[in-house]
Amino acid sequence: MLGLVTPLASGNRKVKKMSEPSSSAAAKISSFALLVIFLTLALSLVALILAINVLYTPNQEPSVAGYLLLIGFLGVALSTYVLLQTRKRIKRLRIKTPPVITTVECRKCGFKNIRDFQRGDYIFKEVEPCEKCKENTLITAIYREVKEKRKKTRF
Amino acid sequence: MNEMATITALQNQIMQEPFGEYSWILNVLIYVFFFVFMFYGQKINTYIMLREVEGSLYKLKYIKDKGRKKAIEAIKEIGKAETDPTARVDRFLEYFTIAPKSLDPAGIVGKLEHILDVRETRFKDDVKLMAPEADRTQINNLENTLEAAMALNFIYKIIRHFYLLGKKTLSLYIIMQLQMILPLVMREAEAYANALKAFAEGQPIGDGVGALVAARLTQGHPTRIIAKDCIAATVPLEGRTAYVVKAEGPGGNVGKPGEAVKTVIEENEGKIATIIMVDAALKLEGEEVGEIAEGVGAAIGGPGVDQFKIEESILEHRIPINAVIIKEDIGDAVSPMRKEIFEAVDKAIERIKQVILEKTKEGDKVIIVGVGNTIGIGQ
Ligand SMILES: [Zn+2]
């Protein structure tokens, strides 16, 4: 839900216009959530500063400092974790599209031309004459190349 | 005595240490937490699950809206209609198909086929009205695009239904079921979203690898229409005569391979040495994309009409049937063809030749069926 805002906002304006009600609702929730996260972060930082203060002032119980430190670290850890999690979700939501590549080949001289896919291309379509021998060329391949990191498992 | 006193004093000190005399508040809080979780743990769980489902539902809505918009854009761009197709598209997205009654299953395949034919004709007529300028290939592609948008719309509606039902009843079991299947549903929705894009552009998809194998074999040989949306070519292969069958490209359609195989068998009066079917198949997690496997049986998906027909016609003449499959996952099957899958075509052809050499004699006749959506693949 949080992650939905950014692709809509960063995408083109048309997309935003299309689903305005949902995007504005999502934006409201997300800004509220962000506020909470940053408030937690600020409060826990205050707790940490207080803890250091207590530690360095004489005649104070050191255990109070301990509690404050605990609260401070927990707060910082929690808020950064949530923040990172939302970032990750935003990244995951962005639909990535690797480019689709068309290979045009000359039957006669084997001249190969690799370009981006254009609407109307199809495999085994005869297209523009060859640059070298003026023979008609043929689209022999259309594919997309996915570069995925493969997680190594033992199986 | 003395020791006891020290211990008690120490205990008091420890208990009171952080908050002095207010330490009982901490105690009460701990008890409150304990009881709240004991009695309301399930409710809290339910709410957390509901939130999770809500998040996915937002994403589904986004995907669905984007799909609808893409479809409308494609129709406007290709069809060049004078009127705005939006209203018609919205109506199209709500179309439904009722499967024939299976109470008395005899003859159901014919009924199913008829219903599917009616559906297809209706869809194509509608697309023609939406996009009057589109040619046959483009109409097929637009029809596929709209069907993908329809599937997305349907998925969104079903998930929304159960989400709202769960919210209304606050039944853990409704929400839990939904939450459990959501990862798979989301995967499917993403696959459809990718498919929609590929269909709108007319790009070959992973599912078309079977058709591509057939297209490679028919290259340079004359083709003829053998059944509705299906072509065949007679190709000499390893000293045998191969009848290569595939859907007619490059528009998006799967043709009627069942009908085509039946016709070829009848033309040859049943004298076919073997049938080899090539198709994309869903891989299991852990298998490689583009892996090739071999087996027997009619390798063809869909509603089952074509599989039934092929099995019927080979039974009559006791024709052996072999299958070569190319493995890919659901996402790869409906998105633009991956390089690994494209490269598997050569390997599949090698396998086919091997099967022909091993299972038939020189001069025999074989049928090779390239199954799959032939979008973006000519012949
Ligand atoms: Zn050339």
Side-chain angles (χ1 to χ4, degrees), chain B residues 202-213:
Chain B
Q203 290 163 344
I205 57 173
D207 179 54
V209 67
L212 183 56
V213 168

Side-chain angles (χ1 to χ4, degrees), chain A residues 125-141:
Chain A
K125 180 191 188 187
E126 283 196 355
V127 282
E128 67 275 348
C130 173
E131 287 170 28
K132 287 185 180 167
C133 57
K134 304 289 172 242
E135 195 83 359
N136 267 0
T137 53
L138 200 68
I139 293 178
T140 51

Side-chain angles (χ1 to χ4, degrees), chain A residues 1 4 7-8 12 14-15 18-19 22 25-26 29 61 63-64 67 89 92-93 95-97 100 107 117-124 138 140-146 148 150 155, chain B residues 17-18 51 54-55 58-59 61-63 65-66 68-69 73-74 77-78 194 197 200-204 212 215-216 219 250 288 331-332 335-340 342 376-379:
Chain A
M1 166 204 57
L4 263 170
L8 282 175
N12 54 21
K14 278 179 205 159
V15 176
M18 172 194 68
S19 53
S22 80
I29 294 160
E61 292 294 341
S63 59
V64 174
Y67 274 97
R89 229 197 270 175
R92 209 173 42 198
L93 243 178
I95 299 165
K96 57 212 173 292
T97 40
V100 177
R107 273 291 166 91
F117 178 88
Q118 291 161 5
R119 186 174 270 174
D121 282 359
Y122 62 84
I123 299 179
F124 299 131
L138 200 68
T140 51
I142 297 173
Y143 54 76
R144 83 193 147 104
E145 224 168 321
V146 189
E148 64 179 18
R150 278 197 54 201
F155 309 103
Chain B
E17 218 39 89
R51 297 284 294 178
E54 197 181 298
Y58 264 119
K59 195 175 169 187
K61 187 170 160 35
Y62 173 68
I63 292 175
D65 286 340
K66 221 176 131 185
R68 173 179 166 272
K69 190 174 160 263
E73 262 174 16
E77 216 175 298
I78 295 168
N194 282 333
K197 241 175 113 182
E201 297 284 330
Q203 290 163 344
L212 183 56
R216 270 285 178 82
Q219 252 306 286
E288 294 283 337
D332 297 329
S335 45
M337 193 180 284
R338 277 174 67 160
K339 199 179 180 192
E340 293 90 333
F342 184 83
I377 301 165
Q379 50 261 334

Side-chain angles (χ1 to χ4, degrees), chain B residues 205-217 276-284 287-295 299-300 322-330 332-334 337-352 368-372 377:
Chain B
I205 57 173
D207 179 54
V209 67
L212 183 56
V213 168
R216 270 285 178 82
L217 293 171
I276 302 167
M277 300 194 68
V278 197
D279 194 7
L282 284 191
K283 77 179 182 76
L284 298 172
E287 288 180 318
E288 294 283 337
V289 177
E291 218 176 88
I292 291 172
E294 222 176 285
I300 183 165
N322 295 284
V324 173
I325 56 168
I326 296 135
K327 294 188 177 172
E328 50 195 73
D329 71 24
I330 176 79
D332 297 329
V334 293
M337 193 180 284
R338 277 174 67 160
K339 199 179 180 192
E340 293 90 333
I341 299 171
F342 184 83
E343 281 165 354
V345 169
D346 290 324
K347 285 184 260 168
I349 290 174
E350 279 313 305
R351 271 304 173 91
I352 291 170
I368 298 170
V369 191
V371 181
I377 301 165

Side-chain angles (χ1 to χ4, degrees), chain B residues 42-233:
Chain B
Q42 210 187 42
K43 272 266 137 65
I44 293 168
N45 228 339
T46 310
Y47 277 113
I48 290 172
M49 276 186 201
L50 213 53
R51 297 284 294 178
E52 231 169 89
V53 174
E54 197 181 298
S56 298
L57 197 59
Y58 264 119
K59 195 175 169 187
L60 269 179
K61 187 170 160 35
Y62 173 68
I63 292 175
K64 176 208 82 158
D65 286 340
K66 221 176 131 185
R68 173 179 166 272
K69 190 174 160 263
K70 181 102 194 162
I72 292 171
E73 262 174 16
I75 288 169
K76 277 185 184 162
E77 216 175 298
I78 295 168
K80 298 183 178 70
E82 280 147 29
T83 50
D84 189 24
T86 309
R88 208 171 260 282
V89 168
D90 284 336
R91 219 176 74 195
F92 188 96
L93 293 182
E94 299 293 324
Y95 272 169
F96 56 85
T97 309
I98 300 168
K101 194 76 202 151
S102 58
L103 201 59
D104 179 13
I108 194 172
V109 177
K111 293 181 203 164
L112 181 61
E113 190 185 14
H114 175 63
I115 297 277
L116 291 174
D117 284 348
V118 172
R119 177 178 189 262
E120 200 191 318
T121 318
R122 168 110 204 230
F123 280 8
K124 289 223 168 108
D125 287 348
D126 254 49
V127 174
K128 260 177 223 158
L129 285 176
M130 284 182 226
E133 297 275 293
D135 61 28
R136 219 171 125 237
T137 302
Q138 286 167 336
I139 282 180
N140 278 343
N141 291 356
L142 287 178
E143 196 238 345
N144 279 259
T145 309
L146 279 168
E147 275 198 57
M150 212 163 138
L152 285 175
N153 192 42
F154 185 68
I155 292 174
Y156 168 69
K157 280 192 164 187
I158 293 285
I159 299 298
R160 184 183 62 179
H161 167 73
F162 282 108
Y163 164 75
L164 290 175
L165 198 67
K167 212 174 170 183
K168 211 183 251 177
T169 55
L170 269 190
S171 154
L172 179 67
Y173 301 100
I174 292 174
I175 298 161
M176 213 175 186
Q177 284 185 47
L178 196 56
Q179 193 242 12
M180 284 191 301
I181 58 158
L182 257 182
L184 298 176
V185 172
M186 293 309 285
R187 242 172 93 101
E188 203 163 319
E190 269 161 39
Y192 274 119
N194 282 333
L196 195 142
K197 241 175 113 182
F199 288 145
E201 297 284 330
Q203 290 163 344
I205 57 173
D207 179 54
V209 67
L212 183 56
V213 168
R216 270 285 178 82
L217 293 171
T218 60
Q219 252 306 286
H221 299 279
T223 58
R224 64 194 163 108
I225 305 278
I226 189 135
K228 192 170 167 273
D229 295 328
C230 242
I231 59 110

Side-chain angles (χ1 to χ4, degrees), chain A residues 102-118:
Chain A
T102 300
T103 309
V104 185
E105 220 172 307
C106 175
R107 273 291 166 91
K108 210 172 174 190
C109 65
F111 178 72
K112 252 188 192 178
N113 181 22
I114 293 170
R115 59 168 167 82
D116 280 343
F117 178 88
Q118 291 161 5

